[in-house]
Amino acid sequence: MTTGYFFSHRHILDIEHLSADDIDFILTTAESFKEISARPIKKVPTLRGNTIINLFFEPSTRTRLSFEIAAKRMSADTFNISASTSSTTKGETLIDTARNISAMNPDIIIIRHSFSGAPHMLSQYVNAAVINAGDGTHEHPSQGLLDMMTVRQHKKRLNDLKIAIIGDILHSRVAHSDILGFLRMGSEVFVYGPGTLIPPGLQELGVTVCSSMKEAVQDADVVMTLRIQKERQNDPLLPSFREYASEYGVTAKVASWARPDALIMHPGPINRGIELMPDVADGPQSVILDQVTNGVAVRMALLYLVTGNS
Amino acid sequence: MPAPLLIKNGRIIDPANTVDCVRDLLIVDGRIADPTAPPHSNSSKIQEIDAEGCWVVPGLIDMHVHLREPGEEYKEDILSGTRAAAAGGFTAVACMPNTKPVNDSRAVTALILSQAEKADARVYPVAAISKNSEGSALTEFGELKANGVVAVSDDGLPVRDSQLMRRAMEYADDHDLLVISHSEEPSLSNGVMNEGIISTRLGLKGIPTAAESIMVYREIALAECLGKRVHIAHVSCSMSAELIRSAKARGVRVTAETAPHYFTLTDEAVMGYATNAKMNPPLRAEKDRQAIRQGLADGTFDAIATDHAPHSMLEKEVEFDRAMNGIIGLETSLPLSLSLVREGVIDEQKLVELMSMNPARILGIEGGTLSAGAVADVTVINPDLAFTYTEEQVVSKSKNSPFLGEKLQGRAVYTIMGGRITHSLA
Ligand SMILES: [Zn+2]
């Protein structure tokens, strides 16, 4: 840690605007919180009296539960609001919702929204700190951070690693946060997937877009597999899941091209047998459950930091 | 008729007569007086404007605006829109038909023209190509033309059916009407900004430049094979400019316009999910911006039009995906275009061609010249006057501009329509 470092972010909207020092500081803070979840009584009074609102415009049991557990372990009061995006089309805008919620003086609003940029917009209209829990196809910063935490835990570093990200890069906000995060920390990012699911311009970010699975995975330290979103199949992106599984699925053979100590990761929930084969998902290199555990610690750290507790 | 008006000592720039010199300009009875004629006898009643250090040019003409009347007067109406036009130096505008109801009939055209009688700029209605702009049946071009329409366009929507577009070009030619194409291939334009690294970083759905250029090529192919005329609206990208340039070189009867935002901004303006930078076609990449500037310099583009598209906060203060497309442009077009002159991309004559002479010729309307006897539509420009474009000074009813807060240079100090001063900074 650089001396005189100060965590200056009021909101956590994306990884893009976090420096390497910020990421390092968040992960170190998360490490210190990890131990709380291992105690018999998993509760500290750190955020007692704080009101946290989970504002979810898109269903996500996992992320919401993870944030809720994180908040409760720090003794904050949490409230869940599930709003459907369609209700806001009929009159009430996101800004109306934001102003109404803001009038109740919450300390933190955690927002998940199907439109990219919604958390950025929200942050301009509320007094509370805003944490992006996934927006459209933009970013999912807490997931990116927990992925980095998991890699750091196993590899003891975040620089000079080869990170292979496989699958639907285009729609994956997790991939976007991971790409920006790992690049920022000094690792190399290789992506591979069907051309229909690779967004334009990745090379300009410093990503290597591979033309074969082997090129992407060869000697990788981390193989990050992404969820294929079955609901996105109205656009002709893929001919079939069967073909996807055979050409882009991570099998034991694919995993064997990576370094022997490579980590197998997935943001979950897994389509077993499509993007990731069951033997790999549940194999010895898989750290998928560590990701889930670390998610709570990272979110505790974020809640702690945005309330001005750095 | 207002009193005679003498504009003194201005730099007269009139490309229609290849004039660029410092002299007085006299307006009598709403027309430009003959400069060689003897001085006006009743000089005591002459109103004078001191134009020293200023340019005196034929009134600016914006051939692509949305005035929102009838139907969405909370965004803009004919009076407020033409006040914004006058404030920006425009004496005439052509208004697109995507009102509510769509201008696809004599009744809507008549309503627009009757409101325009009191307006601060001449209003030339553009009617829809197809009934309700639905793309299936042609509107009555003959009757629309007879009632004051100068062009036809389904602007806002592409004409999907190539056969309908072919018929429109053929039938418009019978009535000497201009067909204006909103060139967009619908199956490729299901996005909210330019497709590229910025859309990737923001996680927003992109629209590739091919969505535009494919349709630009279709219009050129139709115009070429039929020998008919077509005008391409709001060109945004390099490939379209290239297609138009080569078509013109082959003698195809194609004209084209671009807008100030395409030669000023890139898709970086969307960063931070700025809905005031959301428009259709979208702001493109730097290479496209450079190509648009090149196209203005080499004559690929005939006109600078604003695509003035007012929207209220209700349509803009929302999630980016949900925000409506479009920005206002009438009050920023001249200063943004003047920067092209300062940067040496085009000269003063070319600027006036693009913003006045050519739009008049393409639409077949009066104006665009300071010839003796011509209608006295005149803009007096102070090319050096610097100002900060703030929300408070926006004349348009809507404030959706990505240029708010920007320091701009050069603006109209007088706008004169038919000898009447419609805007004055004095
Ligand atoms: Zn248009």
Side-chain angles (χ1 to χ4, degrees), chain B residues 64 66 96 98 153-157 181-184 233-234 257 280-281 307:
Chain B
H64 192 136
H66 300 268
M96 290 296 153
N98 57 342
S153 177
D154 278 352
D155 185 53
L157 296 167
S181 165
H182 171 110
S183 299
E184 185 180 13
H234 43 58
E257 71 194 30
N280 187 28
D307 196 5

Side-chain angles (χ1 to χ4, degrees), chain B residues 55-293:
Chain B
W55 301 353
V56 178
V57 308
L60 305 181
I61 299 170
D62 189 341
M63 63 183 298
H64 192 136
V65 306
H66 300 268
L67 296 178
R68 305 298 187 209
E69 184 177 359
E72 290 179 310
E73 289 86 350
Y74 70 101
K75 298 182 178 185
E76 193 83 285
D77 57 42
I78 289 166
L79 294 184
S80 71
T82 55
R83 272 199 298 277
F90 291 93
T91 54
V93 296
C95 60
M96 290 296 153
N98 57 342
T99 46
K100 293 177 180 171
V102 168
N103 182 11
D104 60 2
S105 69
R106 182 172 81 171
V108 181
T109 302
L111 176 116
I112 292 167
L113 288 173
S114 82
Q115 288 298 88
E117 282 168 19
K118 296 159 279 177
D120 282 340
R122 297 175 202 280
V123 175
Y124 294 100
V126 176
I129 288 173
S130 65
K131 287 179 184 141
N132 204 29
S133 290
E134 282 168 354
S136 49
L138 292 180
T139 57
E140 294 168 326
F141 290 3
E143 181 169 87
L144 288 162
K145 165 88 179 190
N147 282 278
V149 153
V150 296
V152 288
S153 177
D154 278 352
D155 185 53
L157 296 167
V159 174
R160 291 167 185 253
D161 184 332
S162 304
Q163 177 74 335
L164 187 78
M165 192 50 145
R166 172 205 172 132
R167 296 307 183 210
M169 286 185 200
E170 290 169 335
Y171 195 53
D173 193 51
D174 296 343
H175 298 90
D176 198 22
L177 273 175
L178 180 71
V179 176
I180 301 175
S181 165
H182 171 110
S183 299
E184 185 180 13
E185 163 51 41
S187 63
L188 283 173
S189 58
N190 168 32
V192 296
M193 68 171 296
N194 183 49
E195 182 175 291
I197 178 61
I198 309 285
S199 65
T200 295
R201 283 169 67 187
L202 292 174
L204 293 172
K205 213 159 194 205
I207 303 173
T209 55
E212 176 180 300
S213 57
I214 284 173
M215 202 63 116
V216 167
Y217 187 70
R218 182 193 76 174
E219 313 303 35
I220 287 170
L222 286 171
E224 185 163 19
C225 112
L226 303 167
K228 304 298 184 193
R229 190 161 72 116
V230 71
H231 177 81
I232 311 291
H234 43 58
V235 173
S236 71
C237 63
S238 162
M239 182 55 80
S240 303
E242 189 54 49
L243 290 166
I244 294 161
R245 182 180 294 117
S246 69
K248 280 186 164 181
R250 296 195 301 276
V252 181
R253 297 170 67 198
V254 58
T255 52
E257 71 194 30
T258 188
H261 36 274
Y262 300 121
F263 60 71
T264 308
L265 300 174
T266 66
D267 55 359
E268 291 217 21
V270 177
M271 294 297 285
Y273 302 94
T275 54
N276 277 344
K278 181 174 175 181
M279 57 197 78
N280 187 28
L283 294 171
R284 302 293 190 182
E286 178 61 18
K287 75 166 174 44
D288 296 299
R289 190 180 79 94
Q290 292 299 343
I292 297 298
R293 290 158 78 89

Side-chain angles (χ1 to χ4, degrees), chain A residues 16 85 116 125 137-138 200-201, chain B residues 197 200-201 203 273 317 319 322:
Chain A
E16 181 161 16
T85 317
S116 301
Y125 294 90
T137 56
H138 174 229
Chain B
I197 178 61
T200 295
R201 283 169 67 187
Y273 302 94
E317 236 186 27
E319 298 89 329
R322 279 215 176 106

